[in-house]
């Protein structure tokens, strides 16, 4: 999921639902995240060169939500100070953090033993969603390079590639891999949904396993790799496409 503001759009809503069996409280905040060249993420406090934060120009409410099992709550995200925005793409992440109950209802207090040390681990769950503001005309080019296939006996084929991005926008889409036999028969052998390269990153290294299906020989024919933007129902041209001859 992503929240993208472009054009005249100023307000969006997110639906936060508690699918668990206990009442849960969520704290909502904005955080800054860097995408590394391998697709991993890490929190940062200062922007990288060429990176613009959206947090100064976004408001959201409520800032905390308590939901019983099965309940849901709309969280409104709204642009502010839009007159200060210059051309470019701004990104921050809205973070939903579950606040665990320290004392579970029904648990009785236990007598403390001063001669031992005890540790209680309480998992804290959270999810972050990119909030992107785009100002100005889009300028984006994407290419697929450095494509290679590793094949070993009794192991799924392993496809590696680099997604390269230039321009003023992040890119977000799906990767589809087709195997094309020497006779021209096309068989889908892999799909990955929601693959992004965020600004200011110029590239992202990516790898995936391909399916082993009857009749497919990964030493003959070719692979067709297609990277397509996600859209609701509409058919769009690929963002990038490449082929790898197999031998």
């Amino acid at each position: 999921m992503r929240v993208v503001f472009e054009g005249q759009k100023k307000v969006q809503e997110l639906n936060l639902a508690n699918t668990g069996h206990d009442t849960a409280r969520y704290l909502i905040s904005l955080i800054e995240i860097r995408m590394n060249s391998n697709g991993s993420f890490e929190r940062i406090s200062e922007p990288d060169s060429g990176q613009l934060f959206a947090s100064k120009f976004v408001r959201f409410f409520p800032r905390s939500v308590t939901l019983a099992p099965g309940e849901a709550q709309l969280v409104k995200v709204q642009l502010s100070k839009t007159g200060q925005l210059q051309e470019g793409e701004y990104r921050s992440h809205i973070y939903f953090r579950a606040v665990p109950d320290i004392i579970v209802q029904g648990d009785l207090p236990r007598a403390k033993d001063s001669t031992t040390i005890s540790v209680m681990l309480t998992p804290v769950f959270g999810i972050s969603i990119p909030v992107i503001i785009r100002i100005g005309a889009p300028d984006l080019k994407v290419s697929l390079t450095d494509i290679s296939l590793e094949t070993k006996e009794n192991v799924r084929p392993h496809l590696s590639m680099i997604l390269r991005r230039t321009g003023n926008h992040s890119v977000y889409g799906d990767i589809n891999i087709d195997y094309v036999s020497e006779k021209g028969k096309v068989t889908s052998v892999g799909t990955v949904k929601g693959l992004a390269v965020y600004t200011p990153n110029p590239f992202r290294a990516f790898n995936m396993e391909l399916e082993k299906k009857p009749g497919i020989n990964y030493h003959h024919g070719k692979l067709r790799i297609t990277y397509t933007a996600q859209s609701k129902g509409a058919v769009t041209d690929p963002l990038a496409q490449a082929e790898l001859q197999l031998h």
Side-chain angles (χ1 to χ4, degrees):
M1 289 184 57
R2 301 183 308 153
V3 177
V4 180
F5 291 97
E6 53 189 344
Q8 300 300 313
K9 187 173 290 187
K10 302 294 183 183
V11 178
Q12 296 203 50
E13 291 181 336
L14 297 171
N15 188 33
L16 179 63
N18 179 9
T19 59
H21 300 289
D22 300 309
T23 296
R25 181 170 176 251
Y26 302 89
L27 298 179
I28 308 171
S29 60
L30 285 169
I31 61 175
E32 315 299 351
I33 289 180
R34 168 194 295 133
M35 169 181 270
N36 296 314
S37 59
N38 63 358
S40 62
F41 292 95
E42 60 180 299
R43 289 185 63 170
I44 57 176
S45 57
E46 296 295 329
D48 293 331
S49 177
Q51 184 174 1
L52 302 171
F53 290 160
S55 52
K56 293 181 181 179
F57 310 101
V58 172
R59 296 186 300 175
F60 60 92
F61 48 88
R63 293 182 175 270
S64 65
V65 176
T66 301
L67 298 176
E71 281 191 340
Q73 168 77 48
L74 287 178
V75 177
K76 183 174 290 186
V77 184
Q78 182 176 1
L79 291 188
S80 66
K81 305 177 185 177
T82 53
Q84 300 179 20
L85 289 167
Q86 305 297 318
E87 285 198 3
E89 180 175 285
Y90 301 74
R91 174 174 56 88
S92 294
H93 291 244
I94 189 166
Y95 180 47
F96 300 89
R97 176 178 176 270
V99 181
D101 289 331
I102 303 301
I103 300 178
V104 180
Q105 290 184 355
D107 283 0
L108 297 176
R110 297 178 181 179
K112 293 183 178 180
D113 184 353
S114 60
T115 63
T116 63
I117 298 176
S118 62
V119 176
M120 181 178 68
L121 298 178
T122 303
V124 176
F125 300 98
I127 184 172
S128 65
I129 299 173
V131 178
I132 296 172
I133 306 171
R134 290 174 175 163
I135 305 296
D139 175 22
L140 175 66
K141 292 183 180 179
V142 186
S143 60
L144 305 172
T145 69
D146 301 82
I147 302 168
S148 63
L149 182 69
E150 181 181 7
T151 56
K152 294 181 179 179
E153 274 193 64
N154 302 319
V155 178
R156 280 190 171 191
H158 193 268
L159 183 68
S160 300
M161 71 188 79
I162 292 180
L163 282 75
R164 299 190 183 275
R165 181 204 64 83
T166 60
N168 58 7
H169 280 189
S170 298
V171 63
Y172 184 83
D174 302 334
I175 286 279
N176 294 286
I177 314 296
D178 290 327
Y179 169 79
V180 184
S181 71
E182 293 176 308
K183 294 183 178 180
K185 182 181 178 181
V186 178
T187 306
S188 175
V189 291
T191 300
V192 174
K193 300 287 188 180
L195 195 66
V197 185
Y198 291 119
T199 57
N201 295 44
F203 71 91
R204 172 178 176 176
F206 174 72
N207 58 78
M208 62 183 290
E209 291 183 340
L210 302 183
E211 297 180 43
K212 297 184 72 173
K213 293 183 176 180
I216 292 180
N217 185 341
Y218 283 106
H219 296 285
H220 299 281
K222 62 183 178 181
L223 295 177
R224 182 180 298 145
I225 304 105
T226 306
Y227 186 47
T228 308
Q230 292 186 339
S231 61
K232 296 181 179 180
V235 178
T236 60
D237 293 331
L239 293 165
Q241 195 170 51
E243 293 185 347
L244 175 66
Q245 294 292 333
L246 302 176
H247 50 78

